[in-house]
């Protein structure tokens, strides 16, 4: 158990819809990262937050947005969903030493 | 952002054989991290290398950081079925991950 909690674990929705994925970081970790992992693909970095502020942005689509709240939990919002958005979405948190602790992921299926 | 190439993409070995995966960058890295993802699981942090030429060992796993800090390797001695999974290197802020090496072990 990494200490990072992601909900929901599984989500099935239709094209054009919007979903929100939630992440609670490990106690004390200020950084939260979001990654997308498609079948047989690597981990695509989406975005990083540090103590509520956006720190770095990767290959995140304009249809996607994220935020980190004062209690440090984070949400990733995916809108106007397309079939190609089906993937495993990981959240990770990090202490100041830099290593990432990943949650178990949210598997999104868009039909 | 920084790009990193990881090879091979797939590696089939017999149980008991050794395994090595390589991570290469065209630019100098400040540090590099290695992660393991079991099938159906999430990535788990293995180690971070910071110093030029650094070598670290964890039981049967040996991690190296090149002298120029542009490449790194992970070597597993005498693989076991528990080593199955995908091994990723990760670099830079935001932690860009390589595409990973899938280790498949045949008993």
């Amino acid at each position: 158990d990494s200490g990072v909690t992601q909900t929901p674990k599984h989500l099935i929705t239709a094209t054009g819809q919007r979903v929100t994925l939630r992440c609670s970081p490990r106690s004390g970790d200020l950084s939260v990262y979001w990654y997308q992992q498609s079948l047989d693909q690597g981990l695509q970095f989406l975005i990083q937050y540090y103590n509520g502020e956006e720190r770095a942005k990767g290959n995140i689509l304009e249809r996607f947005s994220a935020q980190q709240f004062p209690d440090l939990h984070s949400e990733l919002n995916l809108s106007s969903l397309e079939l190609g958005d089906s993937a495993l979405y990981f959240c990770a948190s990090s202490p100041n030493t830099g290593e990432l602790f990943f949650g178990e992921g949210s598997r999104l299926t868009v039909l | 952002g920084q790009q990193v190439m990881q090879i091979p993409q797939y590696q089939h070995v017999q149980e008991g054989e050794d395994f090595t995966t390589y991570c290469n960058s065209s630019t100098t890295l400040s540090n590099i991290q290695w992660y393991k993802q079991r099938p159906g699981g999430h990535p788990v942090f293995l180690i971070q290398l910071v110093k030029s030429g650094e070598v670290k060992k964890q039981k049967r796993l040996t991690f190296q950081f090149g002298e120029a800090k542009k490449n790194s390797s992970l070597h597993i001695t005498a693989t076991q079925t528990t080593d199955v999974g995908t091994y990723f290197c990760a670099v830079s802020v935001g932690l860009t991950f390589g595409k990973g090496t899938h280790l498949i072990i045949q008993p």
Side-chain angles (χ1 to χ4, degrees):
Chain A
D1 181 10
S2 66
V4 177
T5 304
Q6 286 189 249
T7 57
K9 285 186 168 34
H10 300 276
L11 191 55
I12 301 174
T13 189
T15 55
Q17 295 297 305
R18 171 189 171 96
V19 298
T20 297
L21 309 180
R22 182 187 168 100
C23 171
S24 293
R26 293 187 331 150
S27 176
D29 287 354
L30 300 181
S31 276
V32 169
Y33 298 74
W34 285 98
Y35 289 86
Q36 180 192 59
Q37 186 174 45
S38 303
L39 193 62
D40 287 335
Q41 294 296 309
L43 290 153
Q44 297 295 316
F45 169 64
L46 297 178
I47 199 162
Q48 179 205 357
Y49 282 85
Y50 179 84
N51 201 21
E53 299 289 326
E54 183 183 304
R55 174 66 65 91
K57 199 175 244 190
N59 300 320
I60 188 166
L61 300 173
E62 284 192 12
R63 299 183 286 108
F64 296 179
S65 65
Q67 55 183 328
Q68 186 179 27
F69 295 87
D71 67 352
L72 300 179
H73 91 271
S74 178
E75 292 181 356
L76 178 66
N77 300 295
L78 314 175
S79 62
S80 302
L81 286 167
E82 302 174 359
L83 296 178
D85 297 328
S86 294
L88 195 51
Y89 290 85
F90 284 109
C91 166
S93 73
S94 177
N96 288 337
T97 43
E99 64 268 38
L100 298 185
F101 294 87
F102 283 80
E104 295 186 358
S106 293
R107 182 169 296 282
L108 173 66
T109 302
V110 182
L111 300 176
Chain B
Q2 278 182 314
Q3 299 294 320
V4 61
M5 288 288 293
Q6 197 171 347
I7 55 172
Q9 187 176 359
Y10 293 90
Q11 183 75 60
H12 294 254
V13 300
Q14 295 284 335
E15 188 176 7
E17 292 182 339
D18 292 356
F19 159 77
T20 305
T21 174
Y22 301 89
C23 195
N24 300 303
S25 170
S26 58
T27 59
T28 302
L29 303 169
S30 56
N31 62 67
I32 192 164
Q33 298 180 353
W34 286 92
Y35 292 79
K36 175 185 178 181
Q37 184 177 19
R38 292 180 186 272
H42 58 276
V44 175
F45 173 78
L46 295 176
I47 209 159
Q48 175 167 278
L49 305 173
V50 178
K51 299 177 184 177
S52 168
E54 189 169 16
V55 178
K56 287 188 176 180
K57 292 191 176 184
Q58 291 178 351
K59 298 184 181 178
R60 295 178 295 103
L61 277 61
T62 301
F63 303 85
Q64 292 190 356
F65 203 7
E67 292 290 341
K69 299 182 72 172
K70 289 185 176 182
N71 55 70
S72 180
S73 64
L74 158 58
H75 179 82
I76 302 178
T77 303
T79 54
Q80 300 175 358
T81 54
T82 54
D83 296 325
V84 164
T86 304
Y87 293 84
F88 293 98
C89 61
V91 302
S92 85
V93 175
L95 288 186
T96 301
F97 280 72
K99 290 194 180 297
T101 295
H102 301 265
L103 173 60
I104 299 117
I105 298 176
Q106 294 150 343

